[in-house]
Amino acid sequence: MDPTGRCRLTAWCEMNPSEGDFIRLEGARVQYWQGSPDLVIDDLEQVKNLSSQPWEKIDPENHWIPVNLSELVNGGSRRGIETSGTIVSVRNDSGIIERCSECRRVLRENNCSEHGNQVGVEDLRLRFVVDNGISNASLLMSKDSAEEFLGMDMERVKGEIAKSGRIGFVTELRNRCLSREVFIRGRSIVDEQGAMILSDTTSFSDIDPKKYGNEIMEKWGLVI
Ligand SMILES: [Zn+2]
């Protein structure tokens, strides 16, 4: 981690850093792993342990770099970012999905594109689109993130879907989420298909839409 964000570092050599060490890399490589850039060293010579602190100590539990959604969408993939946007779409395939037990790909009609017919492993996933008026990105919540966001665990989600059906569940989610602003912490993957944010946590901003609307109208001198 540094003051601009965080990145994984893979060492193909014997390296034993201590927590809190400040290191400098020279002649290292950058590789892509699951859409995110990783730093790689092949030789201990590429690492220098710094004796003086180049920046203040960083708290790893609470190190999130605020990045505007447009900047995020137009930049490279990043870890440890914090951004915000308005939920403009809730995808129909949000809810309980089934994954291949071998590769975790999402099954379509009990079929994995790689491993054929499979008995699926259930998982929870939510998919949205967020927009800031200029740019938009997909927002994906895996199980932990989704459970926290929904305020219910996977078993309860399954119960809700059993009760009101998948469409009913998604409709309820739309009623709760559409047009609301959210704060997102997580990582971004930007490729030729666009930008996707994998959230660690997503929470509603506490903006009251009515109050916010009035503020905007006041700002622009609008009267209805
Ligand atoms: Zn598979």
Side-chain angles (χ1 to χ4, degrees):
M1 295 176 184
D2 81 352
T4 69
R6 67 174 76 198
C7 186
R8 283 189 192 185
L9 169 64
T10 304
W12 292 104
C13 56
E14 206 64 42
M15 182 194 176
N16 295 305
S18 305
E19 218 176 289
D21 279 0
F22 290 93
I23 57 170
R24 179 181 169 79
L25 307 179
E26 270 178 36
R29 297 186 281 137
V30 181
Q31 72 174 17
Y32 276 80
W33 171 245
Q34 294 180 337
S36 286
D38 278 7
L39 291 166
V40 183
I41 56 161
D42 300 287
D43 189 332
L44 209 51
E45 296 275 291
Q46 294 166 328
V47 187
K48 211 160 77 186
N49 211 320
L50 301 176
S51 46
S52 65
Q53 292 196 2
W55 50 76
E56 292 288 298
K57 204 171 186 305
I58 292 171
D59 173 10
E61 296 303 317
N62 203 17
H63 185 52
W64 301 95
I65 309 302
V67 186
N68 178 284
L69 187 65
S70 297
E71 195 188 318
L72 201 70
V73 167
N74 294 305
S77 305
R78 290 178 70 165
R79 287 180 188 277
I81 49 89
E82 180 178 80
T83 195
S84 61
T86 301
I87 295 182
V88 294
S89 172
V90 180
R91 298 277 304 256
N92 274 330
D93 54 0
S94 293
I96 303 294
I97 50 162
E98 296 212 326
R99 291 190 184 280
C100 172
S101 55
E102 288 185 52
C103 67
R104 291 190 45 83
R105 275 189 183 85
V106 178
L107 299 181
R108 288 180 204 285
E109 285 159 13
N110 298 319
N111 208 67
C112 170
S113 55
E114 192 71 21
H115 299 101
N117 235 15
Q118 290 282 330
V119 178
V121 179
E122 284 186 327
D123 197 8
L124 171 62
R125 182 187 68 173
L126 303 179
R127 295 177 76 193
F128 305 88
V129 177
V130 287
D131 191 299
N132 70 346
I134 300 165
S135 311
N136 62 65
S138 301
L139 168 63
L140 194 133
M141 293 181 205
S142 59
K143 182 170 168 280
D144 289 351
S145 175
E147 285 182 332
E148 198 199 332
F149 179 71
L150 295 170
M152 55 174 123
D153 64 9
M154 189 166 130
E155 285 308 309
R156 239 187 90 197
V157 173
K158 278 167 72 176
E160 291 291 319
I161 293 174
K163 206 168 66 193
S164 41
R166 172 182 281 274
I167 298 300
F169 171 76
V170 173
T171 302
E172 173 60 28
L173 195 58
R174 287 197 174 111
N175 290 340
R176 268 181 66 189
C177 299
L178 278 180
S179 82
R180 292 191 66 185
E181 193 191 25
V182 282
F183 287 116
I184 307 156
R185 286 176 166 179
R187 69 185 178 104
S188 66
I189 297 176
V190 185
D191 58 22
E192 58 282 351
Q193 289 175 41
M196 177 162 72
I197 305 168
L198 305 169
S199 90
D200 280 20
T201 62
T202 302
S203 54
F204 289 117
S205 78
D206 37 29
I207 291 174
D208 172 4
K210 212 166 180 178
K211 204 173 134 211
Y212 186 58
N214 286 335
E215 277 171 28
I216 299 277
M217 283 169 59
E218 211 164 279
K219 183 178 168 191
W220 297 101
L222 299 175
V223 184
I224 295 178

